[in-house]
Structures are given as structure tokens and as C-alpha cells.
Amino acid sequence: MHIELPVVSFFCALLVLVPLPWHWRARNIATISISLWLFVLNLINGVNAVVWAGNLRIVGGVWCDIATKFVVGGNVALPASVFALCLHLERISSGRPVISSEHQKRRLYVDYFLCFGIAFIYMATHYVVQGHRFDIVENLGCRPTFYVSLPAIFLIWVPPLIFSIAACTLSGLAFRNFWIRRIIFARHLQDSNSALTPSHYFRLMSMALIQMFWSILITSLNMWFSTKDGLYPWLNWADVHFDFYRVDLIPFAIITQDTVTLMFLLWWAIPASSLLYFVFFALGAEARKQYGKYFWWPKHCWSRIRERLPVFSRQTVIP
């Protein structure tokens, strides 16, 4: 049994929610999306680690159906969200004039589509290469399944790689623009009525670059390991989905040590991404200033109550 798995998962699920109020006030859809997707993935991993700790019981079928789809969606949602963030950063750093409210509304729709719409489309297309219902892995719980074939490569592993590479390219352009215009960059942010500061902008850009290199590494490793023994032939729809409602039980005793190592690496990739997100956004100067406001908020509320209630605001004089 691995008691560290649920502890780390639930702890990281709470960590990624810490910077969420600040991003919510800034109306930054991309960073909100990253926080929410990491929260969901950590929550799923934590519940799985509790329910299937040291066992292979076939329970929670509906939970597994839903959870595995969100795990699949999260594989593309995170790089797509960072891609949306990089689009925003490149637009700001380019020095292009502020767009109209109509264009801003259109950009908002694009952000929602990239951060959430793409993921749900991806979850739906997963059924095309879903060989059977799901697997239950000892200690790790229910995991999504793939019929490892040529369509699976283009439907499952290529889209996250495309978003990751595109985001890296945009991050490079944003960093170049930032370096060239670093002297007038703060004034440009102020003129564009952006909620960003130069330091926060730099943290966003750095986080995006590191997350994308990490995503490319994990996705490439997963694709290589899944396809290293060759691809299954795609004969027809009926063959791929034969005995679809089957649930395979996978104890650690019957799989190789390399496979176990890869499973744990993919599992720990989510907590690692969560810690990276927390370090970049929850420890900055703006975040510490917000923590100070939260700390003094009860005292401020008590002062306001005393001002409004005369019984607290005047001293009682005993004759």
C-alpha cells in the first residue's frame, strides 16, 4: 500500500486552489482553467488511491467511467490552456494596439473553447480508440484504455504535442518581445488596462515554458512506451470495440518493473505540475499582498461591526 499517494493528491488539490481567487479577479481564463483541471486530476487520483489501495475490487463503475474521461480530457486540456495563456502573453508583449470590446469578447470565447471545449471534444473522440471500458490498476485505481493503433497516435498523443510545441513557440516570441520592449513594457501594460504586472507577466511566461517542456517529455515518453511493442492493426469498428464492457484487473505482480515505473511517473506528473503552478503563482509579491488582506479581514469586519452597532461603539457609564 502507498499511503503517500492519496495524501499528496489531496494536498496538491488544495494547493492549486490557493491562487485561484487572484486569477478569478483578473479574469484570466487560461490560468483559472489550469487550476481547475489540476484540481480535478488530483482529486481523481486521490479518490482512486483510497478506494483501490492494495486491492483490485470492481467497484465504482460509474465513477470510473466519468473519472477516466476526465483523465483523458486533462491530457489535452492542460497544454491547450497553456497555449491559450501564451496567445494572451504574446499579444500583450507585441505592443499591438488595444483591441475593441467586440474583439475582446471574441477572444474570450476562443479562450473558453481552448481551455474547456477542446477537452470535451477530445473526451468524446477517445471512444473511437477505447478498446474496452477501463482498467483497474492495483493502488492506482481505474485508468483509461486505448487501442494502440495508428488512429490512437493521431487522436490521443498528437494533439497534446501540437498544443505544447505551439505554446513553446509563442512563449519564445513573447519572451523575445518582452526583452526587446522591457524598458517600455510596464507603461504598455498600464496603457492596455491589463491586470498584469511585469513580474507577474514574467512568472506566467516562465511557468508556461516549463510546463510545456514537461508536457512534451511526459507525452512523448507515454507514446513511446505504449507503442514500443508495435501497433495493433485497425481492422474495423466491431473488432476494436469487441467485448467493450470488459474491465481488466492489473496487479503489480503481473507487469514488468518498467511498466510500474512508468505508471508511477505519469501519476507523479500531476502533483509535480501542481507544485510548479503553486510555486509560480502562490509565492509572488501580489499573492503575499493578498494573503495579508485575508489575514486582516476578520479584524476589519469586527471594526465595521463595532461602528454600526452603538452598543459596541460607546462606553457604558455607570452612575
Side-chain angles (χ1 to χ4, degrees):
M1 296 178 63
H2 296 265
I3 189 63
E4 74 279 3
L5 299 183
V7 173
V8 170
S9 292
F10 293 132
F11 179 69
C12 289
L14 294 177
L15 281 185
V16 296
L17 295 181
V18 172
L20 187 59
W22 194 90
H23 293 304
W24 185 270
R25 284 191 296 273
R27 296 294 188 268
N28 193 328
I29 303 301
T31 50
I32 291 173
S33 170
I34 295 171
S35 178
L36 293 178
W37 279 107
L38 286 174
F39 171 78
V40 169
L41 294 177
N42 278 300
L43 185 64
I44 290 173
N45 282 345
V47 173
N48 284 346
V50 170
V51 175
W52 285 280
N55 70 82
L56 289 169
R57 296 176 299 169
I58 302 180
V59 295
V62 175
W63 160 262
C64 285
D65 289 331
I66 297 173
T68 52
K69 287 300 180 183
F70 273 96
V71 169
V72 170
N75 290 337
V76 75
L78 291 175
S81 297
V82 177
F83 173 75
L85 174 62
C86 292
L87 277 176
H88 181 56
L89 296 178
E90 193 280 329
R91 187 183 299 111
I92 292 176
S93 67
S94 66
R96 292 190 289 269
V98 180
I99 57 179
S100 64
S101 59
E102 184 65 29
H103 285 83
Q104 289 178 342
K105 186 182 297 185
R106 191 177 306 163
R107 181 176 62 82
L108 194 64
Y109 292 148
V110 171
D111 286 346
Y112 277 118
F113 178 73
L114 287 172
C115 296
F116 300 102
I118 290 289
F120 284 98
I121 294 174
Y122 189 78
M123 290 157 63
T125 57
H126 166 239
Y127 180 71
V128 176
V129 292
Q130 184 179 1
H132 55 276
R133 193 176 176 187
F134 53 81
D135 293 337
I136 294 180
V137 182
E138 183 181 4
N139 294 313
L140 300 181
C142 46
R143 314 301 296 173
T145 62
F146 309 103
Y147 184 80
V148 182
S149 58
L150 189 61
I153 292 178
F154 288 100
L155 289 177
I156 301 301
W157 293 296
V158 168
L161 287 175
I162 291 176
F163 280 117
S164 298
I165 294 172
C168 285
T169 303
L170 287 173
S171 295
L173 292 175
F175 183 81
R176 173 181 175 275
N177 294 336
F178 173 80
W179 184 255
I180 293 175
R181 300 178 175 86
R182 61 189 181 279
I183 298 177
I184 62 172
F185 190 71
R187 181 183 296 274
H188 174 67
L189 288 178
Q190 185 177 2
D191 294 340
S192 62
N193 295 321
S194 175
L196 294 176
T197 62
S199 61
H200 188 233
Y201 178 93
F202 189 78
R203 285 201 305 275
L204 284 171
M205 185 168 53
S206 302
M207 188 277 296
L209 276 171
I210 295 175
Q211 286 278 21
M212 287 305 94
F213 282 121
W214 178 244
S215 177
I216 291 174
L217 174 63
I218 293 299
T219 304
S220 300
L221 180 62
N222 191 10
M223 181 173 64
W224 168 80
F225 195 88
S226 300
T227 60
K228 66 183 181 67
D229 294 328
L231 302 176
Y232 296 127
W234 182 279
L235 301 178
N236 52 58
W237 182 272
D239 179 72
V240 172
H241 295 87
F242 174 77
D243 196 16
F244 177 79
Y245 292 99
R246 183 181 81 253
V247 175
D248 287 349
L249 306 179
I250 306 177
F252 282 171
I254 68 169
I255 55 180
T256 64
Q257 185 59 43
D258 290 341
T259 303
V260 173
T261 301
L262 178 69
M263 285 182 174
F264 275 109
L265 176 62
L266 296 177
W267 190 96
W268 281 100
I270 299 302
S273 298
S274 303
L275 290 174
L276 180 66
Y277 178 86
F278 175 81
V279 168
F280 272 103
F281 296 127
L283 302 180
E286 300 91 345
R288 293 196 300 269
K289 187 183 298 184
Q290 292 297 325
Y291 302 152
K293 292 181 180 179
Y294 296 149
F295 179 79
W296 292 108
W297 180 77
K299 182 178 180 180
H300 176 71
C301 290
W302 178 245
S303 299
R304 295 292 298 273
I305 292 174
R306 293 187 63 182
E307 291 174 1
R308 292 178 179 274
L309 296 179
V311 69
F312 292 129
S313 61
R314 68 171 182 268
Q315 295 180 352
T316 303
V317 179
I318 302 176

mmCIF file of all heavy atoms in Angstrom, residues 8-24:
data_model
loop_
_atom_site.group_PDB
_atom_site.id
_atom_site.type_symbol
_atom_site.label_atom_id
_atom_site.label_comp_id
_atom_site.label_asym_id
_atom_site.label_seq_id
_atom_site.Cartn_x
_atom_site.Cartn_y
_atom_site.Cartn_z
ATOM 1 N N VAL A 8 -0.622 13.043 -0.968
ATOM 2 C CA VAL A 8 -0.055 14.011 -1.912
ATOM 3 C C VAL A 8 -1.133 14.545 -2.845
ATOM 4 O O VAL A 8 -1.181 15.751 -3.139
ATOM 5 C CB VAL A 8 1.092 13.369 -2.712
ATOM 6 C CG1 VAL A 8 1.538 14.269 -3.855
ATOM 7 C CG2 VAL A 8 2.269 13.069 -1.796
ATOM 8 N N SER A 9 -2.032 13.677 -3.306
ATOM 9 C CA SER A 9 -3.073 14.102 -4.247
ATOM 10 C C SER A 9 -4.002 15.143 -3.628
ATOM 11 O O SER A 9 -4.253 16.202 -4.220
ATOM 12 C CB SER A 9 -3.892 12.892 -4.711
ATOM 13 O OG SER A 9 -3.125 12.035 -5.502
ATOM 14 N N PHE A 10 -4.516 14.860 -2.452
ATOM 15 C CA PHE A 10 -5.444 15.798 -1.819
ATOM 16 C C PHE A 10 -4.735 17.081 -1.406
ATOM 17 O O PHE A 10 -5.320 18.175 -1.478
ATOM 18 C CB PHE A 10 -6.118 15.137 -0.612
ATOM 19 C CG PHE A 10 -7.043 14.021 -0.979
ATOM 20 C CD1 PHE A 10 -6.982 12.796 -0.323
ATOM 21 C CD2 PHE A 10 -7.979 14.171 -1.994
ATOM 22 C CE1 PHE A 10 -7.832 11.759 -0.668
ATOM 23 C CE2 PHE A 10 -8.836 13.136 -2.341
ATOM 24 C CZ PHE A 10 -8.769 11.929 -1.674
ATOM 25 N N PHE A 11 -3.482 16.970 -0.967
ATOM 26 C CA PHE A 11 -2.726 18.166 -0.610
ATOM 27 C C PHE A 11 -2.511 19.059 -1.833
ATOM 28 O O PHE A 11 -2.694 20.287 -1.769
ATOM 29 C CB PHE A 11 -1.381 17.761 0.000
ATOM 30 C CG PHE A 11 -0.511 18.913 0.377
ATOM 31 C CD1 PHE A 11 -0.851 19.736 1.435
ATOM 32 C CD2 PHE A 11 0.656 19.172 -0.327
ATOM 33 C CE1 PHE A 11 -0.044 20.813 1.794
ATOM 34 C CE2 PHE A 11 1.469 20.235 0.020
ATOM 35 C CZ PHE A 11 1.126 21.056 1.083
ATOM 36 N N CYS A 12 -2.134 18.459 -2.961
ATOM 37 C CA CYS A 12 -1.924 19.236 -4.188
ATOM 38 C C CYS A 12 -3.238 19.802 -4.721
ATOM 39 O O CYS A 12 -3.252 20.893 -5.307
ATOM 40 C CB CYS A 12 -1.240 18.372 -5.248
ATOM 41 S SG CYS A 12 0.493 18.005 -4.897
ATOM 42 N N ALA A 13 -4.342 19.074 -4.533
ATOM 43 C CA ALA A 13 -5.644 19.594 -4.952
ATOM 44 C C ALA A 13 -5.976 20.889 -4.218
ATOM 45 O O ALA A 13 -6.549 21.828 -4.807
ATOM 46 C CB ALA A 13 -6.732 18.545 -4.700
ATOM 47 N N LEU A 14 -5.615 20.965 -2.943
ATOM 48 C CA LEU A 14 -5.830 22.200 -2.180
ATOM 49 C C LEU A 14 -4.849 23.293 -2.597
ATOM 50 O O LEU A 14 -5.215 24.475 -2.675
ATOM 51 C CB LEU A 14 -5.700 21.919 -0.681
ATOM 52 C CG LEU A 14 -6.762 21.000 -0.069
ATOM 53 C CD1 LEU A 14 -6.448 20.750 1.403
ATOM 54 C CD2 LEU A 14 -8.154 21.596 -0.233
ATOM 55 N N LEU A 15 -3.609 22.911 -2.874
ATOM 56 C CA LEU A 15 -2.592 23.904 -3.235
ATOM 57 C C LEU A 15 -2.971 24.680 -4.493
ATOM 58 O O LEU A 15 -2.791 25.901 -4.545
ATOM 59 C CB LEU A 15 -1.238 23.223 -3.444
ATOM 60 C CG LEU A 15 -0.428 22.846 -2.209
ATOM 61 C CD1 LEU A 15 0.931 22.294 -2.631
ATOM 62 C CD2 LEU A 15 -0.245 24.020 -1.273
ATOM 63 N N VAL A 16 -3.482 23.984 -5.520
ATOM 64 C CA VAL A 16 -3.762 24.675 -6.778
ATOM 65 C C VAL A 16 -4.944 25.616 -6.661
ATOM 66 O O VAL A 16 -5.155 26.455 -7.549
ATOM 67 C CB VAL A 16 -4.009 23.660 -7.919
ATOM 68 C CG1 VAL A 16 -2.764 22.845 -8.194
ATOM 69 C CG2 VAL A 16 -5.196 22.753 -7.623
ATOM 70 N N LEU A 17 -5.737 25.499 -5.582
ATOM 71 C CA LEU A 17 -6.858 26.423 -5.379
ATOM 72 C C LEU A 17 -6.436 27.708 -4.678
ATOM 73 O O LEU A 17 -7.197 28.677 -4.665
ATOM 74 C CB LEU A 17 -7.957 25.739 -4.560
ATOM 75 C CG LEU A 17 -8.656 24.541 -5.207
ATOM 76 C CD1 LEU A 17 -9.728 24.006 -4.265
ATOM 77 C CD2 LEU A 17 -9.257 24.913 -6.551
ATOM 78 N N VAL A 18 -5.239 27.724 -4.099
ATOM 79 C CA VAL A 18 -4.797 28.906 -3.351
ATOM 80 C C VAL A 18 -4.723 30.152 -4.233
ATOM 81 O O VAL A 18 -5.238 31.205 -3.857
ATOM 82 C CB VAL A 18 -3.439 28.621 -2.666
ATOM 83 C CG1 VAL A 18 -2.870 29.895 -2.046
ATOM 84 C CG2 VAL A 18 -3.609 27.543 -1.597
ATOM 85 N N PRO A 19 -4.088 30.102 -5.447
ATOM 86 C CA PRO A 19 -4.023 31.313 -6.271
ATOM 87 C C PRO A 19 -5.305 31.595 -7.059
ATOM 88 O O PRO A 19 -5.377 32.608 -7.761
ATOM 89 C CB PRO A 19 -2.869 31.022 -7.252
ATOM 90 C CG PRO A 19 -2.289 29.725 -6.847
ATOM 91 C CD PRO A 19 -3.325 29.001 -6.063
ATOM 92 N N LEU A 20 -6.298 30.708 -6.967
ATOM 93 C CA LEU A 20 -7.486 30.840 -7.811
ATOM 94 C C LEU A 20 -8.228 32.164 -7.611
ATOM 95 O O LEU A 20 -8.646 32.784 -8.601
ATOM 96 C CB LEU A 20 -8.427 29.657 -7.577
ATOM 97 C CG LEU A 20 -9.643 29.562 -8.493
ATOM 98 C CD1 LEU A 20 -9.217 29.470 -9.949
ATOM 99 C CD2 LEU A 20 -10.497 28.347 -8.123
ATOM 100 N N PRO A 21 -8.449 32.649 -6.380
ATOM 101 C CA PRO A 21 -9.174 33.926 -6.237
ATOM 102 C C PRO A 21 -8.502 35.088 -6.958
ATOM 103 O O PRO A 21 -9.186 35.933 -7.547
ATOM 104 C CB PRO A 21 -9.193 34.149 -4.711
ATOM 105 C CG PRO A 21 -9.078 32.779 -4.138
ATOM 106 C CD PRO A 21 -8.186 32.032 -5.073
ATOM 107 N N TRP A 22 -7.174 35.133 -6.928
ATOM 108 C CA TRP A 22 -6.470 36.223 -7.606
ATOM 109 C C TRP A 22 -6.688 36.148 -9.117
ATOM 110 O O TRP A 22 -6.957 37.156 -9.768
ATOM 111 C CB TRP A 22 -4.984 36.145 -7.276
ATOM 112 C CG TRP A 22 -4.239 37.395 -7.640
ATOM 113 C CD1 TRP A 22 -4.024 38.498 -6.870
ATOM 114 C CD2 TRP A 22 -3.627 37.677 -8.906
ATOM 115 N NE1 TRP A 22 -3.327 39.444 -7.567
ATOM 116 C CE2 TRP A 22 -3.059 38.974 -8.825
ATOM 117 C CE3 TRP A 22 -3.508 36.975 -10.109
ATOM 118 C CZ2 TRP A 22 -2.387 39.569 -9.873
ATOM 119 C CZ3 TRP A 22 -2.844 37.568 -11.162
ATOM 120 C CH2 TRP A 22 -2.284 38.853 -11.036
ATOM 121 N N HIS A 23 -6.577 34.950 -9.686
ATOM 122 C CA HIS A 23 -6.790 34.801 -11.130
ATOM 123 C C HIS A 23 -8.251 35.052 -11.490
ATOM 124 O O HIS A 23 -8.547 35.524 -12.596
ATOM 125 C CB HIS A 23 -6.377 33.394 -11.574
ATOM 126 C CG HIS A 23 -4.903 33.142 -11.466
ATOM 127 N ND1 HIS A 23 -3.964 33.929 -12.088
ATOM 128 C CD2 HIS A 23 -4.204 32.194 -10.786
ATOM 129 C CE1 HIS A 23 -2.754 33.471 -11.817
ATOM 130 N NE2 HIS A 23 -2.878 32.416 -11.032
ATOM 131 N N TRP A 24 -9.158 34.719 -10.574
ATOM 132 C CA TRP A 24 -10.581 34.966 -10.839
ATOM 133 C C TRP A 24 -10.844 36.468 -10.954
ATOM 134 O O TRP A 24 -11.591 36.905 -11.830
ATOM 135 C CB TRP A 24 -11.426 34.347 -9.731
ATOM 136 C CG TRP A 24 -12.901 34.449 -9.966
ATOM 137 C CD1 TRP A 24 -13.736 35.460 -9.570
ATOM 138 C CD2 TRP A 24 -13.715 33.517 -10.685
ATOM 139 N NE1 TRP A 24 -15.020 35.216 -9.975
ATOM 140 C CE2 TRP A 24 -15.033 34.022 -10.669
ATOM 141 C CE3 TRP A 24 -13.456 32.306 -11.322
ATOM 142 C CZ2 TRP A 24 -16.096 33.351 -11.271
ATOM 143 C CZ3 TRP A 24 -14.507 31.647 -11.925
ATOM 144 C CH2 TRP A 24 -15.808 32.161 -11.901
#
